[in-house]
Amino acid sequence: MASKAEENAEGLKNMSISAFGPARATVNENPLSKEELHKMNEYFKATLYLCLGMIYLKENPLLREPLKPDHIKHRQLGHWGSDAGQSFTYIHMNRLIKKYDLDAIFISGPGHGAPAVLSNSYLEGVYSEVYPDKSEDVEGMRRFFKQFSFPGGIGSHATPETPGSLHEGGELGYSISHAFGTVFDHPNLISVTMVGDGEAETGPLATSWHSTKFLNPITDGAVLPVLHLNGYKINNPTILARISHKELECLFIGYGWTPYFVEGSDLPTMHQAMASTLERCILEIKEYQKQARESGKPFRPRWPMIVLRTPKGWTGPRKLGNHFLEGFWRSHQVPITNVVSNKSSLATLEEWMRTYKPDELFDESGALIPELKALAPTGLSRMSANPITNGGILRRKLHVPDFRTFAAEVKKGGVENLGSMALFATFLREVVRSNPHHFRVFGPDETESNKLGAVYDAGKKVWMGDYFDEDADGGNLAHSGRVMEILSEHTVEGWLEGYILSGRHGFLNSYEPFIHIIDSMVNQHCKWLEKCLEVEWRVKVASLNILLTATVWRQDHNGFTHQDPGFLDVVANKSPEVVRIYLPPDANCLLSVANHCLRSANYVNVIVADKQDHLQYLTMDQAIAHCTKGLGIWDWASNDSGTEPDVVMASCGDVPTLESLAATALLREYVPDLKIRFVNVVDLFKLIPEHEHPHGLSDRAYGAVFTDDRPIIFNFHSYPWLIHRLTYKRAGQHNLHVRGYKEKGNIDTPLELAIRNQTDRFSLAIDAIDRVPRLRNTAAAAREALLNQQIAVRNYAFHEGIDPEDLRTWVWPY
């Protein structure tokens, strides 16, 4: 058994990480007068009363009559656990906004604690300005309460309907990266960011602490994280709340931050501790910025952050019956769950809500009393009114050079090789050069690898870490750059989303197979954009532009793990109102598509284009027409002019287009009388019926290109099933035969990889012969010859480790 001394030592150790008791803080000053302290605490109580009202009440908003079951929502939905800590931080930031005339926003990492954000927006008056029916009176408060987590109302998170929100906080892990995205190129902005201790356990959040290594104190604003240790997730303790104070401090010092602690539950001392600590952090931020800006010498400070340890469900009942509530996991969501059916629980809820004394906080009309109202900032200084959180208001037109001046010269289709990506990089370079303060390029350590290095002539990679002499030899690092790279897809995507949502423009490039790492982030961004379309006061933001390269068909050197084009399936699942997918077949089409995407708003645009050298097919004028249509017949590759085609050879994607053209040439060689129509698709959603997608073709237009009754051999960049899904119910669907990636890969040669997946020229030509009824017997010799060539090619690859030269250097022969 442990000795008494050992038990006492263990008790003291546990007490040091307890969320209860008088305040324990790094900064121990008392900046608030007795009157200020009283008013701030009363304001705090008002916000918490509103939080509970949102979760529970549909009638009797100020408890001016005894609480009855009829006043309670039938379904109580929402989260109480983090509300107090978030509101506590918000209120104390308000004091400093007024004192120092700060430009600040509030990002709720635990956005499920939306009642904290909503209550502050309501008390500031912003909510009633945006939604006049939610007025600052009894009836307005009733409507404000009822709409929360209620059919026809608003969701339980910091959704787009929430004034001042640009981060919903539903899926956890992105609050810090979003916050840094907002402050890049916003030198006066401070983004106060609540980080839940549950969220802090996610991989994306853990990496995003390194974002300070990319923050320039001259050109950028600052992020002030508040790590909220309330101790519990849904049903488990949180890791960071259960490690020693010293270990926690060392963790964040190691990340490069200066952590300031505010811990406890006693309201008077906690208010003083938070007031002094938050003010110390703000003054440090301003001093670092002043030092850098006056000297003109950027450096990387150890930026301040706050570790706020308070009980989960702070200010609620410590126990409910025999079970812990405040300071325990049971307070995470709805703290008292059976208030409609249990009179005792209803009485407990009423007693609890009355402890906040709403009759003293709100006047007879239901408005917050004037002396408390005066605590909040006014006008656009209110965090929930800051235009940065409705970034479309601030969005400036992107200066895009005339992409036609970067055109590849194409004298004849399919005879000259060129690096489409390298050419595109020269266009992107000029976009960077023309927009030095509101456009950035993002990527996970792949910009150079993706042949986009030309952008460094206009803007280097931001790097606030230490430098070595050898960095001058092609490192392309600078304190003030326009390219953002860290080997974390989550972090660069979060930066880009925050940058766009706060009113700027950006572009992300990534290896195709590893974009899956951010499937869910893109999914959440799509949902945000779609919901914004339903919120009339939200102004459209710049599109999220994603370039996928190092594609599946040229990942033969890396092998099977690097071969996955399935991101397109993820994007295709999203609302037609907000997603677009483009697969340009050559450089001029890539330029045309990119120009369109960079100028667009409120979309997620996905462009797929390989980075290696490829055949070029269309002049710039032809490319513009082709991309404008989204798909079309290539007359120069067809021989069915004025007649019915026997077969339609269709392609989507640069490498599949090459193989389809080569298959077409083989068919014309071996079956000269075969009438072939060649179709290329650049806008994937053109395949969808017009009533299901804004880009979709009418049935008549679709049939005019693909026919209703002829076999279609469709060679697709990604998994073949997606094309069948998009063309579901199209006339002639039974004639559509799609070839694409089928999870067959290894360290193959390019053509061998295509053969393994039946997307090669020989397989396609054989497929066409098999599908044209009149050729089943008459073209048997041609089919046999093609099969023999395919076998010879594979044998050559196995022996020589490379495809035959005549196939590697193939050009369009007609």
Side-chain angles (χ1 to χ4, degrees), residues 247-306:
E247 186 178 354
L248 189 62
E249 183 178 38
C250 289
L251 174 68
F252 287 102
I253 291 173
Y255 270 127
W257 295 83
T258 299
Y260 288 90
F261 289 79
V262 178
E263 306 167 283
S265 62
D266 175 65
L267 285 170
T269 56
M270 283 294 287
H271 277 298
Q272 294 286 12
M274 190 62 170
S276 58
T277 301
L278 194 57
E279 188 160 8
R280 171 76 64 86
C281 292
I282 294 298
L283 292 177
E284 277 192 14
I285 288 170
K286 303 303 277 186
E287 181 56 35
Y288 289 141
Q289 292 174 338
K290 181 174 182 286
Q291 178 183 341
R293 292 169 190 180
E294 289 184 354
S295 68
K297 297 178 181 179
F299 64 100
R300 180 171 67 91
R302 288 190 171 272
W303 296 97
M305 63 169 291
I306 294 173

Side-chain angles (χ1 to χ4, degrees), residues 209-239:
W209 292 114
H210 288 298
S211 298
T212 55
K213 284 81 170 179
F214 303 87
L215 190 77
N216 186 321
I218 296 177
T219 59
D220 303 327
V223 174
L224 178 54
V226 180
L227 174 62
H228 188 202
L229 301 182
N230 63 31
Y232 293 90
K233 304 183 285 285
I234 295 174
N235 186 228
N236 280 290
T238 57
I239 293 171

Side-chain angles (χ1 to χ4, degrees), residues 269-395:
T269 56
M270 283 294 287
H271 277 298
Q272 294 286 12
M274 190 62 170
S276 58
T277 301
L278 194 57
E279 188 160 8
R280 171 76 64 86
C281 292
I282 294 298
L283 292 177
E284 277 192 14
I285 288 170
K286 303 303 277 186
E287 181 56 35
Y288 289 141
Q289 292 174 338
K290 181 174 182 286
Q291 178 183 341
R293 292 169 190 180
E294 289 184 354
S295 68
K297 297 178 181 179
F299 64 100
R300 180 171 67 91
R302 288 190 171 272
W303 296 97
M305 63 169 291
I306 294 173
V307 179
L308 175 65
R309 191 191 305 269
T310 64
K312 196 173 188 75
W314 191 17
T315 77
R318 177 66 171 125
K319 279 191 169 185
L320 191 63
N322 294 322
H323 297 292
F324 286 108
L325 188 63
E326 183 196 34
F328 200 51
W329 61 262
R330 289 192 183 90
S331 63
H332 178 73
Q333 294 181 337
V334 178
I336 306 176
T337 57
N338 57 345
V339 292
V340 174
S341 59
N342 186 300
K343 291 183 179 180
S344 176
S345 295
L346 183 65
T348 300
L349 174 64
E350 180 175 11
E351 180 183 359
W352 174 16
M353 293 187 73
R354 290 191 184 279
T355 64
Y356 298 114
K357 300 182 179 179
D359 53 318
E360 297 179 8
L361 305 174
F362 301 93
D363 65 20
E364 184 60 28
S365 73
L368 188 67
I369 59 176
E371 53 265 42
L372 298 185
K373 186 76 170 179
L375 294 183
T378 58
L380 298 181
S381 293
R382 296 170 294 179
M383 287 192 283
S384 62
N386 195 315
I388 286 174
T389 62
N390 187 9
I393 293 175
L394 304 179
R395 177 170 63 98

Side-chain angles (χ1 to χ4, degrees), residues 764-777:
L764 297 172
I766 291 171
D767 209 3
I769 291 172
D770 290 345
R771 304 294 178 180
V772 177
R774 70 177 179 84
L775 297 183
R776 289 176 184 168
N777 295 322

Side-chain angles (χ1 to χ4, degrees), residues 688-703:
I688 301 180
E690 62 180 346
H691 58 273
E692 294 183 11
H693 195 286
H695 283 202
L697 289 180
S698 67
D699 286 338
R700 178 170 294 181
Y702 178 89

Side-chain angles (χ1 to χ4, degrees), residues 1-123:
M1 293 180 63
S3 67
K4 191 69 175 176
E6 289 172 332
E7 288 178 1
N8 288 341
E10 184 67 21
L12 286 171
K13 183 179 76 173
N14 290 336
M15 188 62 187
S16 70
I17 62 171
S18 169
F20 290 95
R24 308 178 302 280
T26 309
V27 181
N28 291 290
E29 298 170 359
N30 295 297
L32 302 177
S33 67
K34 184 177 181 180
E35 181 183 7
E36 287 174 321
L37 175 58
H38 172 73
K39 287 181 178 178
M40 290 195 76
N41 196 55
E42 292 295 284
Y43 196 103
F44 182 46
K45 288 163 54 180
T47 66
L48 298 180
Y49 179 82
L50 294 181
C51 291
L52 285 176
M54 278 182 266
I55 293 173
Y56 286 103
L57 300 182
K58 63 176 183 177
E59 302 288 347
N60 191 19
L62 284 169
L63 299 183
R64 289 181 175 170
E65 57 179 285
L67 192 60
K68 302 174 183 177
D70 288 346
H71 300 153
I72 305 294
K73 298 177 183 179
H74 292 293
R75 294 195 311 158
Q76 302 100 50
L77 303 169
H79 296 75
W80 163 254
S82 72
D83 292 355
Q86 293 200 73
S87 188
F88 184 71
T89 302
Y90 195 109
I91 293 165
H92 279 275
M93 190 62 191
N94 275 348
R95 180 182 79 91
L96 299 174
I97 290 172
K98 292 186 69 176
K99 183 173 181 178
Y100 295 107
D101 190 25
L102 301 177
D103 182 13
I105 63 173
F106 186 88
I107 292 178
S108 174
H112 52 264
V117 181
L118 291 164
S119 63
N120 277 280
S121 178
Y122 183 77
L123 294 183

Side-chain angles (χ1 to χ4, degrees), residues 395 505 541-543 545 595-603 605:
R395 177 170 63 98
H505 303 257
V541 297
S543 293
N545 298 306
N595 172 73
H596 169 75
C597 292
L598 290 171
R599 294 176 185 273
S600 67
N602 243 65
Y603 296 131
N605 294 312

